[in-house]
Amino acid sequence: MQWVARQNFHHRSALMQGWGVVLLLAACALWIWLAFVLVDQQDAYCYRTVSNCVRVTALPKQLTLLAASGPLSVLGAALLVGGSVRRQTSAHVLQVIEMQKSEERARAGGK
């Protein structure tokens, strides 16, 4: 029973890490898209037609991309770190339990 619970815990931790990576990759994709939008805006800063210059702005699109990438980055980082900490803590607890059992066996064998 303990082995099944440990495997289930490990699986949930791996899922947390996986979702964290996916969300961070999605946030990176949004940041890259934002960079392309900014570069396109610099290239098409103004159109010249008979000495009229009209400023082209894509501010709502830029703010939307920035606003969407923020929570994805934070949630992705939190899930990735949370899953990693769960795995490391679980491994540490198992090592402590094994050391305690080893000490108990050594004491029982010495008596």
Side-chain angles (χ1 to χ4, degrees):
M1 182 65 176
Q2 189 180 33
W3 175 256
V4 173
R6 201 164 52 191
Q7 288 298 323
N8 191 19
F9 186 82
H10 181 74
H11 178 68
R12 286 191 317 251
S13 299
L15 280 176
M16 283 178 67
Q17 285 180 317
W19 276 108
V21 168
V22 167
L23 290 176
L24 284 173
L25 287 175
C28 283
L30 289 175
W31 278 95
I32 291 169
W33 188 9
L34 178 63
F36 281 121
V37 168
L38 290 174
V39 168
D40 286 344
Q41 180 184 357
Q42 288 176 356
D43 290 344
Y45 181 71
C46 75
Y47 296 109
R48 299 236 180 222
T49 329
V50 191
S51 71
N52 287 335
C53 187
V54 179
R55 186 173 178 192
V56 177
T57 60
L59 195 58
K61 187 176 188 178
Q62 294 168 358
L63 290 177
T64 302
L65 289 172
L66 189 60
S69 69
L72 286 178
S73 300
V74 171
L75 187 59
L79 284 173
L80 183 63
V81 169
S84 298
V85 167
R86 282 173 56 117
R87 276 185 164 186
Q88 291 175 357
T89 303
S90 174
H92 175 72
V93 167
L94 290 175
Q95 285 179 347
V96 168
I97 290 171
E98 287 299 320
M99 288 184 345
Q100 288 174 345
K101 287 181 181 178
S102 175
E103 287 177 359
E104 287 174 6
R105 283 192 300 263
R107 286 184 195 150
K111 288 186 179 181

